[in-house]
Amino acid sequence: MHPRVLVSAALLAVLVVAGSSAGCAQPVSGPTTGTADAPRDAALMLTHPRWSVPGPVDSVLAISIDGLNPAALRRLGPRGTPHLHEFMDDGASTLNARTEYEQTVTLPNHTGMVTGRRITARRGGHGVTWNDDRRRPATVQAAAGHDVASVFSSIATAGGSSALFASKTKFALWQRSWPDGIARTEIDERNARLVRTLQDDIATTPRAFRFLHLSLPDVVGHDRGFMSPAYLKAVRRVDRLVGLAVGTIDADPALAEHTAIIVTSDHGGRGATHSDRGNIDNYRIAFMVRGPGVDAGADLYALNPDYRNPRGGRPAYGARTQPVRNGDLANLALDLLGQPPVPESEHDLAQDLDVTAEP
């Protein structure tokens, strides 16, 4: 698929040492918190190379737009959501990807994104079935009843640094679950301020992986109705925030040349809620990839005949040919970085989700 990216020996040694201290970050206890590693990492950036050049990608930014119904992108078009449409023009995408099969709610689907697992624990899933701030089970591992690795822990094992920027407090679960894998956690319900924090981190700190969660469409959807005029306004606003995040990378040629970006969602929605897993407006989502080597303007299903466009259907995990799912995010990110898949994961385990046409 993609040329593999190797970590330089010098950076690997530095990040292993740095990661051991960053992994001791305390669990998040309030709406806004974070570790104080930015000055240290900024200094490292001045004296050590980031990632070596054999492969095209040395960093991945994953963006999840909570509650983004792809119908909103069609309704608003390029004029209403110019940044997301430009993103699709510049990369490979589909507006007909799928959520996890079992549920169409926030925390279970996001945990699938970073673990590459289904939800149901007895079938090897991550076990996170709730969607609130409860402290028991305290970790994903406790919910599953077995060890659960993630994109964060996989990157830490390889000597890389990851950061989480989330706009809902329930994401503190991830910091408790992978304290050695997430070097920095920022939780801020104010989406615009969260993006500014992300921009500062991009500008000052070399990282292999960042996860940005934007809650605005979901919050407005619950309050005013999904696909309502207020919701569509929120999608336009989040489009601008995505533009700011992507623009920070594009403004630095060195970053733009070596950074891949994945955009997806946890669920869609229409009307008052999104909890009905059998409603296409809830289980149909977008999945977009842009970066070095990614085919511009490509349809992900056209690039991947071994994946099946589900049309209006909702294939279960047992289907012979799977649709693109939000749970593919973890192993696609690792594949782009030249790393093996998350241990014991399921979605895109073979890392065969292509973003470039076969030569």
Side-chain angles (χ1 to χ4, degrees):
M1 261 182 80
H2 308 283
R4 296 296 180 181
V5 183
L6 302 177
V7 182
S8 68
L11 181 59
L12 178 61
V14 170
L15 286 177
V16 168
V17 174
S20 64
S21 60
C24 297
Q26 294 301 310
V28 179
S29 57
T32 306
T33 188
T35 62
D37 64 348
R40 178 199 68 213
D41 286 346
L44 290 178
M45 185 168 60
L46 297 176
T47 56
H48 294 276
R50 289 165 53 85
W51 295 83
S52 59
V53 185
V57 176
D58 66 17
S59 183
V60 173
L61 169 62
I63 303 175
S64 174
I65 305 174
D66 199 321
L68 177 64
N69 186 335
L73 299 180
R74 295 188 180 95
R75 177 87 60 88
L76 293 168
R79 292 188 63 183
T81 50
H83 301 290
L84 287 168
H85 276 83
E86 181 180 9
F87 194 97
M88 289 188 282
D89 289 341
D90 290 343
S93 64
T94 178
L95 297 183
N96 200 34
R98 291 294 180 264
T99 65
E100 296 273 50
Y101 183 76
E102 302 97 322
Q103 292 180 270
T104 51
V105 292
T106 298
L107 196 58
N109 269 268
H110 277 94
T111 305
M113 290 182 203
V114 297
T115 63
R117 292 177 183 252
R118 66 178 70 190
I119 296 172
T120 305
R122 68 177 182 275
R123 298 293 183 88
H126 56 68
V128 177
T129 58
W130 65 93
N131 194 35
D132 52 38
D133 283 291
R134 70 186 65 181
R135 295 295 296 263
R136 293 290 182 272
T139 64
V140 174
Q141 293 81 1
H146 50 72
D147 185 47
V148 178
S150 68
V151 61
F152 303 114
S153 58
S154 293
I155 287 173
T157 298
S161 175
S162 297
L164 167 65
F165 303 85
S167 50
K168 289 183 177 179
T169 55
K170 66 186 75 174
F171 283 87
L173 171 71
W174 290 2
Q175 179 66 58
R176 296 195 301 270
S177 301
W178 302 290
D180 296 326
I182 306 177
R184 180 178 187 180
T185 295
E186 296 287 345
I187 298 182
D188 192 333
E189 294 176 341
R190 290 162 289 192
N191 285 210
R193 195 168 86 162
L194 186 68
V195 169
R196 290 195 295 271
T197 303
L198 170 78
Q199 290 177 294
D200 290 341
D201 191 76
I202 291 172
T204 61
T205 312
R207 298 198 194 279
F209 183 75
R210 293 176 177 87
F211 192 102
L212 170 66
H213 164 261
L214 297 171
S215 64
L216 188 58
D218 184 69
V219 170
V220 175
H222 282 291
D223 184 48
R224 305 288 293 278
F226 290 86
M227 296 302 295
S228 67
Y231 171 84
L232 294 175
K233 182 178 179 180
V235 173
R236 287 194 294 268
R237 289 172 59 193
V238 86
D239 176 80
R240 291 193 291 271
L241 294 178
V242 170
L244 289 173
V246 173
T248 302
I249 293 168
D250 288 346
D252 184 331
L255 286 175
E257 187 178 357
H258 296 287
T259 302
I261 307 172
I262 304 171
V263 176
T264 189
S265 184
D266 52 346
H267 55 77
R270 186 179 289 269
T273 185
H274 52 75
S275 58
D276 179 3
R277 67 176 185 170
N279 186 324
I280 190 171
D281 285 310
N282 300 335
Y283 64 68
R284 181 175 55 199
I285 55 167
F287 197 100
M288 314 173 185
V289 190
R290 195 210 77 172
V294 179
D295 285 359
D299 178 88
L300 278 172
Y301 288 111
L303 291 176
N304 292 275
D306 47 345
Y307 284 71
R308 179 172 176 264
N309 188 327
R311 309 300 176 187
R314 189 173 70 95
Y317 302 127
R320 181 175 180 180
T321 309
Q322 286 292 301
V324 176
R325 294 188 189 274
N326 54 14
D328 295 330
L329 186 152
N331 285 331
L332 175 59
L334 290 170
D335 190 28
L336 292 167
L337 291 168
Q339 300 299 320
V342 178
E344 306 300 324
S345 60
E346 174 180 9
H347 303 312
D348 194 24
L349 177 61
Q351 294 183 311
D352 58 359
L353 181 59
D354 292 311
V355 295
T356 304
E358 292 293 333

